[in-house]
Amino acid sequence: MLTYVIPRQVARTAFPPPGIHALPTPVSLLAFDTFQELLWTGNEYGRVTSFYGPKIQKYTSFRGHLSAEGPVRQLLFNEKGVISIASRSVHMAVRRGLPVWNITHANMRDLRCMSYTSKGNSEILVAGLQNTMFLIDVDKGQVIREIPTEDGYTIMKRSHYICAATGTGSVNMLDPSTFAVVKTWKAHSAAINDMDAQNNFLVTCGFSPRQQQAFMLDPLANVFDLRNLTPLPPIPFHAGAAYVRLHPRMVTTGIVVSQTGQMQVVDLMNPNTVNLRQAVVSSYLTGVELAPSGEALALSDADCSIHLWGAPNKLQFAELSNPIEFADTPSPLPGIGWMADTPLSSIGLPYYREQLLSAWPSHLVFEVGAPPAKTDQDVLASMTLTEFGGYAPNPGKKRRNQIENTRASDNADVPLMAPKFLSEKARESVNRQSKDDDHDGRRASDVVEALGAIALSGGIKAEVPIMYRNVEIKYSRFGVDDFDFEFYNKTAYSGLETHIANSYSNPLLQLYKFIPLLRNLALHHAATSCLSETCLLCEMGFLFNMLESAGGQNCQATNFLKTFSSLPQAGAMRLLEEESPNDPLENMIQVMNRFLLERISSDFRQILPHSSDLDRTLATAATASIRCVKCLSETIRPDGTYVNEMVYPPKHGMKSQARGVKPSFSQVLKTSVERESQTRGWCDKCRRYQSLATRKTVQNVPDVFIINAAVNSVEAKQLWATPGWLPEEIGIIIEGGQFFCYEGEDLKLHLQRGIHYVKVYDLVGVVADITSGENQTSHLVSLVNVALSAHEEQATSEWHLFNDFLVKKVPKEEALRFVPSWKVPSVLAFQVKAGSNAVDDSWKNELDTSILYREFSYSRPQDTSHYRLLSRETEAPCEGTHVAIDAEFVALQQEEIEVKADGSRETIRPSRLGLARVSVLRGSGHDESLPFIDDYILTTEPVVDYLTAFSGIQSGDLDPARSRHTVVPLKAAYKKLWLLLNLGCVFVGHGLPKDFRTINMHVPKRQVVDTVDLFFIRARQRKLSLRFLAWFLLREQIQTDTHDSIEDARTALALYRKYQEFRDAGVFESILVDIYAKGREVNYKVPVTSVPTSSATQAAATSLALGGEGRDTPPVLRDNPMGAGTGTDTPRPSTPLRRPVSLQDPGSAGSGPGGNTSGRGSPQGGPGWPPGKGTYFGSPLR
């Protein structure tokens, strides 16, 4: 019988403290590396430290977890690195300390242990004192699955089973594949302190309750046979068994250790045979670990020391050790006796004893070892494997004896460079007075951070074109408005931004937008009187209208996604990213496709319950025949659908067709639509469960035929990888309840014969799933033939790639090419050929404007005297009608900022604002500047900051039960503005782009009068605040106490009238120069008690007062504003105003309304404004 003798102590070292000035802390765990000569430790603050060799010299130290998570609980090792676990995270790093991945999860609350599964080192099971376990893919660093459990686990050891110790003293034997509990063993009555499993044995040490409710270590180490799943005789150990380790080589040998340092080597099959040793420690032991080789034993004590035991001449940690990588030792620099008179020539140039390679003549330099050409993906997809290799048809992409220049192809993929921020470009354009150096003006850091950074460690597949890869918005201190979206989109088609929750739906929304018949339905519905807050069809119409009017400028689907996220059905179907972060996007987008079409059908019927337009456009009319196989009774029920799902031939069917021709797209579509299945169900006639055969009969096909690709098998991917497998045109025949589909020459033949009615469809576009690399999350793009949605018929197809806000024209061959490894289709859309270019804009003449002329409020406003609704007879808005507008916002989410190691701050996600109040004033006529809209917006999301100092909104203003204002839902407020926009109104305001962006509306430049741009000299690089312009030009002190959107809109309108006066008088340029001169003089700050004076301004005011060519600014305050022309003496209500600080009377030219609110401009002004709460409200634009 082999016996194991514990060697003596060979080394001892102090455990490093957690910080420079911190006190030492005990070791929380010990672990020997299974691949290298390293001893690893963890401390109580999440730091992992390793020691090298018999002298336990410090090798690496890195922080794996936050200090708040407590001690490092366990370490696992593989060839690539070290995996550590703390209470709320799992971390993997290479042995040199560089992080590989770090995983946190909302359900990770008290993790304690982990173990490799049946898949070896590529998968781990993580558990703790909680009711959820996690299955983690080590290679990808992702949580694969959450596994519910009834028991909390503290220790895990891997043998035949995953032996998991619970917090109650039991050990569960878990199946390493299914993780089901195979056997439960009550090892100790209280808790388990330590255990080990090797070969067929499991040994545990634990506690039992004693008198006065105290717990003491059991004097026995319990043994369990894992092969027979039965307990064995325990090991007596009177000193109290605290730790146990089984010898990796000697099958039945174990080491039991007490807290006082007594060690006992025992044979599990003969517990009476023992060998005792004593470790000299001044306190008590906190950990014991035995090396995988069995030649080294590590101990840690409460005095923060590490002891290494072993034979001095034979000490090895791992059985087969890999070499350890050490840091390069810098060579010492030669010393130079430097004096004042030392000649510079004493510092010599490098000297080489042999000729450099760069000095060789050109005729001796050759290019050798060119990389081999990559096998065509089409060949791999169609390859048939045999015993001697594989064979496939020649795709015929090269001429005979033609080879690829692989050197050229390796250098062809130039990475896409990221643009500079707009503020940087503006600064540099003024400094250089040149705009022709866009390429040289880019920062290398921008280039790396945009797309180059995601290629770390070869994470991106080389064959994935850059235009398909993930695009990311970078934020400056000015927020998202400073990002140059135009760099990614040079087309006339707008992209969608990605910083919004659930923006994975962007490609599907883009595809819908370019289906003319679906686009027409959405816009006609949006023009109706629908005010449902959950109507997705309205939101879709608003979004489509915004994308069309933007003309290539970036947009965002904020309102649509907000409405979508608020639907309970979306959460129940796991369509929200925050509730299903690990679900594959290709599955989510197909479920969302079906959900959206069914939802908009329901929305459509709320307004037109008896119309069949939507069903004729989207619904496949069919019936399902269900027949009992036993009694042959048959039941027929409706089985219409809005989405048809592809069903591919089974694996054996593909093999049988391998010798012949693969099934075409039309053949697969036919079997998918007319699918036949056999399931087990209840038969009413037999009164029992029987086999039921279901057959689908198609009665009619819609004008828009939408398909879920459902590519979930290798065989399906091979079909899609076949060149030209997806046709650009198909024909469908419905006859006798049967569905026939044709393409290519077969379709042409049926059209020539003219025997059957063939419904011909054009392919509108595809939503495809893109996998950029192993370490990259997949994302979705859409490829759309935009020629089908043009107002006029196009001669050729025009395919465009929509990768969120990156839009690029691509060839048809590229759009219809699919690669199984990285590009797989998810959703297809066909439209009847007769619907191509059928863009219907008649909805603009059918707008239901009734909401503009009636009260609509969820609250009971106490005072509505400050505004008056429009009169349908005398004040109906039309094209060219001027209205003044201003809006206020509240913060719904604070901005996320990352502080880097050098102290610099980077915005990860800007603050998210929500519309809180919008005011619209009459811009002309007798009641000019009188509001007709003053809505406070009901918000369903929690408000994190009312921004009262900048918005004037207080707690309770947006609550219908408490507010004294007119509170309306966002849908109603938005629709009023949308109607004004499409009626052709011109919006006057100050700093409107930010307002419209947050409202989620795009207004063409021809319909915007922004006083920020009117009073702006581009070379000065500064835009003037509303408060400063009001003080200088209108002689008013505004925005003194708080903000009021009515006052801001009224002031902007008065400034516009001043601009018209100065322009008509021909003095605007000199006035503008004078404004900036005065601004520099007062540092753009508004003095509280002074009034601006300047020669140019005084001259202009005198000229206008004496009847110059300009027009007088319409006075805001009148004696009888409402009674004029109406036969009534009721005075016009107005917002309470402060008396203007002016040298003139309030009613004279040049005066305007004062106010008790302040604008969004920085009252301090100055050339450099701080980005404040958040960036927007500190901007000098307001």
Side-chain angles (χ1 to χ4, degrees), residues 490-537:
K490 305 293 185 182
T491 70
Y493 306 100
S494 299
L496 290 172
E497 299 174 18
T498 58
H499 63 284
I500 311 166
N502 302 310
S503 59
Y504 74 92
S505 60
N506 286 348
L508 184 61
L509 295 175
Q510 290 279 19
L511 178 60
Y512 285 172
K513 186 258 178 186
F514 287 99
I515 302 175
L517 299 181
L518 180 56
R519 173 258 185 203
N520 295 341
L521 282 173
L523 285 170
H524 277 278
H525 181 83
T528 64
S529 59
C530 177
L531 289 177
S532 173
E533 298 175 48
T534 60
C535 180
L536 289 181
L537 189 55

Side-chain angles (χ1 to χ4, degrees), residues 636-668:
I636 298 177
R637 60 176 177 83
D639 193 25
T641 182
Y642 294 100
V643 179
N644 292 276
E645 189 164 303
M646 298 282 282
V647 179
Y648 302 92
K651 188 174 182 179
H652 59 83
M654 294 288 293
K655 287 183 177 180
S656 63
Q657 294 174 351
R659 303 183 187 90
V661 181
K662 292 183 179 180
S664 65
F665 174 85
S666 301
Q667 293 170 340
V668 175

Side-chain angles (χ1 to χ4, degrees), residues 849-869:
T849 59
S850 57
I851 193 173
L852 295 175
Y853 309 108
R854 61 184 177 91
E855 289 284 357
F856 183 87
S857 176
Y858 279 3
S859 62
R860 295 182 178 179
Q862 300 177 5
D863 182 18
T864 59
S865 60
H866 63 284
Y867 74 94
R868 189 185 72 218
L869 294 174

